[in-house]
Amino acid sequence: MKERMPNIDLKKELKHLYQPSARDVVRVDVPAFRFLMIDGAGDPNTSPHYAHAVEALFSVSYAAKFMVKKGPSGVDYAVMPLEGLWWSDDMASFVANDRTRWQWTMMIHQPSCADDAVLHLAMADVKRRKGLAAVDLLRLETFTEGPCAQTLHVGPFTEEGPTIRRVHDFIEQHGALAGKHHEIYLSDIRRADPGRWKTIIRQPMA
């Protein structure tokens, strides 16, 4: 009988990065992680490309998960949450929550057991089964943020402004803004009450 392998949950293993408190803004050091990524621009609430991008990311991530579980290692793991890098020419647009002016990279953190070969197989499998054109726009990339400030926002995305301001104020007291605004979406917004949505707000700092 094949020995049952333990489940991997990187959110728990990396608790300091993926389970912050909403009470405080804290500094964290974020090492290099591998992500499945896709780029776009504009308001995610009105952009069809955004919806297609997210569908492709999750479809490939879950396909890879089941390939690994059924493979020689038998390892099972939790698919990580959706993350987004957001930027524009004017950092004030984040505080104003003017997403029409934002560009974005949506991404999902991939565990080491889902290597590049598995992920490329998963992309081909999803494209064959589902015919998702956005799969062709996916890429694998190692991304390093280094020192960042972060906190947890609880509530709708439209009310993130004060939370973002808190993070920016913290950074301005301890250094300077750097890199791209980063959000990590911990809630399933299709099911959860918007008042209870949990989003990590992270900003690199110098």
Side-chain angles (χ1 to χ4, degrees):
M1 180 180 294
K2 188 175 181 179
E3 183 179 355
R4 185 177 183 276
M5 298 297 291
N7 292 351
I8 296 172
D9 189 340
L10 292 179
K11 292 196 304 298
K12 293 180 179 178
E13 294 181 18
L14 301 169
K15 184 176 180 179
H16 66 296
L17 298 178
Y18 285 95
Q19 297 184 37
S21 167
R23 186 171 56 252
D24 302 309
V25 177
V26 297
R27 175 184 164 126
V28 293
D29 288 300
V30 186
F33 293 129
R34 286 168 62 251
F35 287 91
L36 196 61
M37 295 181 165
I38 187 168
D39 301 321
D43 187 341
N45 295 316
T46 57
S47 169
H49 175 54
Y50 179 86
H52 297 156
V54 171
E55 182 183 12
L57 280 172
F58 274 113
S59 295
V60 171
S61 294
Y62 274 99
K65 164 191 169 72
F66 292 117
M67 285 181 178
V68 171
K69 184 177 181 180
K70 294 176 181 178
S73 69
V75 171
D76 192 11
Y77 62 87
V79 170
M80 292 292 279
L82 180 69
E83 307 190 27
L85 302 177
W86 302 85
W87 70 99
S88 73
D89 294 334
D90 181 5
M91 288 295 288
S93 65
F94 295 116
V95 178
N97 203 38
D98 182 6
R99 296 183 178 235
T100 61
R101 300 171 61 190
W102 290 18
Q103 300 179 66
W104 46 261
T105 296
M106 304 313 295
M107 57 194 198
I108 295 179
H109 182 170
Q110 303 296 322
S112 58
C113 57
D115 60 24
D116 288 11
V118 166
L119 286 161
H120 284 297
L121 284 173
M123 289 183 210
D125 176 65
V126 168
K127 188 174 181 181
R128 177 181 56 80
R129 288 187 296 105
K130 295 190 173 184
L132 302 181
V135 170
D136 290 335
L137 302 176
L138 296 175
R139 70 181 187 279
L140 287 166
E141 184 174 314
T142 298
F143 178 62
T144 307
E145 281 185 295
C148 297
Q150 72 174 30
T151 193
L152 182 68
H153 171 76
V154 179
F157 302 139
T158 54
E159 297 178 4
E160 286 180 356
T163 304
I164 295 171
R165 184 70 263 169
R166 286 176 59 215
V167 173
H168 286 193
D169 288 345
F170 176 92
I171 292 173
E172 288 165 2
Q173 292 170 12
H174 297 86
L177 294 169
K180 297 173 181 176
H181 175 83
H182 188 167
E183 298 186 355
I184 303 170
Y185 307 104
L186 303 180
S187 301
D188 184 345
I189 64 172
R190 298 168 301 178
R191 296 182 175 87
D193 180 339
R196 302 180 69 178
W197 288 353
K198 294 181 178 180
T199 306
I200 298 172
I201 303 297
R202 181 184 295 169
Q203 177 68 48
M205 58 189 292

